[in-house]
Amino acid sequence: MFGTDISMDLIIQYGLQAASALLILAIGAFLAKSAGQYTHRSLAKIEMDAPIRLLLVRVIKGIIFLFTLLVVLQQFGIQIFPLIAGLGVAGVGIGLALQGVFLNLFAGLSIIFTKPFRVGEFIDILGEHGEVQAIDIFTTKLLHLDRSIVVIPNRKIIGEILHNYGKIRQLDLTVGVAYATDLTQAQAAVRKIVSANPRVLQDPAPVIGIALLGDSSINLSVKPWVPIPDYVPAQAELYQTIVEEFRTAGIQIPFPQREILMLKAE
């Protein structure tokens, strides 16, 4: 009977502790979520990059949740300071095991605050290129031209040569015309086509001129600027319109030709 009373007392005691711990965790999670939402709304009113805003929100939520865990541990009678000291010793081994994770973390923070590129810009690095979709703490995600996602660990980015195209790119189109063509007429037709295309930016101004005197044609270089999402469709549209306009205007696009002289042996 005495043992039963002790068991009931222990069940009641630890049951109450477990219930209060769960209640504290629930309250902490609610406070962390509410604080994160409030922080996000407040920072949205300030001109700030999305990755930095996301980082600050996560830090606020993490601090509140960590404080909640400490309160829960104390609820079970666990001494916090000896535990912290023990974790400090164990942290050396854990740190060595998670070295790559920490390198990605520090690299991510460096990218977020130094801003070598931003979300929406087109970059080329490590043989990969694409539009920056997200800059997270550990990785950076690029959207490739074929709509696939390239995920790069942040530690691979720091210290590498980076080509940042920004949010616009310059098309590099080439169209050949016959040597007998009126070049002024041909270039005027190309300028009209480029100016009429809604995907093409007028500032910076398109670059149109003679690129090369080839064996069978005079090659015109057509280099307009377009927003990143319009890079591929604008190229297809411009080529098609140029071909149609040249056919209408009677401007010849020649194909490679060779003259063969037959010498009669005497």
Side-chain angles (χ1 to χ4, degrees):
M1 190 70 178
F2 180 71
T4 303
D5 293 338
I6 294 177
S7 299
M8 290 299 297
D9 290 340
L10 291 175
I11 292 173
I12 293 173
Q13 177 183 352
Y14 288 107
L16 289 174
Q17 287 181 339
S20 61
L22 290 175
L23 179 61
I24 293 171
L25 282 175
I27 294 174
F30 174 76
L31 291 176
K33 182 179 179 180
S34 300
Q37 292 174 344
Y38 175 78
T39 304
H40 187 274
R41 288 195 301 269
S42 300
L43 295 178
K45 302 176 183 178
I46 304 173
E47 186 175 352
M48 180 183 299
D49 289 344
I52 297 179
R53 186 184 303 115
L54 180 62
L55 174 62
L56 293 176
V57 170
R58 287 178 175 176
V59 168
I60 295 296
K61 293 172 67 175
I63 291 174
I64 294 176
F65 201 73
L66 178 61
F67 178 77
T68 303
L69 288 178
L70 294 178
V71 174
V72 169
L73 290 176
Q74 283 195 340
Q75 186 71 18
F76 284 98
I78 299 175
Q79 298 297 319
I80 302 301
F81 292 108
L83 179 62
I84 293 175
L87 290 175
V89 175
V92 176
I94 296 174
L96 293 175
L98 299 178
Q99 184 177 8
V101 175
F102 289 136
L103 287 175
N104 283 327
L105 172 62
F106 294 136
L109 293 175
S110 176
I111 292 171
I112 288 172
F113 286 104
T114 59
K115 304 176 185 176
F117 53 83
R118 301 169 187 263
V119 173
E121 294 181 338
F122 192 94
I123 66 171
D124 189 338
I125 188 170
L126 299 171
E128 299 291 346
H129 57 270
E131 181 183 351
V132 180
Q133 291 291 291
I135 306 172
D136 296 326
I137 299 299
F138 300 105
T139 61
T140 294
K141 297 178 182 178
L142 306 182
L143 178 64
H144 200 265
L145 292 176
D146 62 4
R147 311 308 294 176
S148 61
I149 297 293
V150 181
V151 181
I152 304 177
N154 286 332
R155 71 178 186 276
K156 298 289 188 178
I157 296 176
I158 298 299
E160 294 291 336
I161 297 176
L162 169 72
H163 189 171
N164 188 348
Y165 292 87
K167 294 188 176 183
I168 61 174
R169 288 191 67 186
Q170 188 177 32
L171 290 174
D172 188 4
L173 312 182
T174 302
V175 57
V177 297
Y179 270 90
T181 300
D182 184 336
L183 295 179
T184 302
Q185 177 192 7
Q187 292 186 66
V190 172
R191 292 184 187 279
K192 176 183 176 183
I193 292 168
V194 170
S195 299
N197 190 293
R199 300 183 189 273
V200 174
L201 301 175
Q202 300 308 312
D203 185 20
V207 178
I208 299 172
I210 298 174
L212 177 68
L213 300 179
D215 294 336
S216 305
S217 64
I218 299 175
N219 293 338
L220 300 181
S221 177
V222 184
K223 295 186 175 183
W225 297 86
V226 296
I228 294 298
D230 294 331
Y231 185 79
V232 173
Q235 177 173 281
E237 291 173 5
L238 288 174
Y239 269 135
Q240 179 175 344
T241 310
I242 288 173
V243 170
E244 293 173 350
E245 179 66 24
F246 277 16
R247 286 175 178 172
T248 302
I251 299 174
Q252 182 183 1
I253 301 178
F255 52 85
Q257 303 179 46
R258 293 289 185 272
E259 290 187 2
I260 301 176
L261 300 178
M262 304 294 291
L263 300 179
K264 183 178 180 181
E266 297 185 5

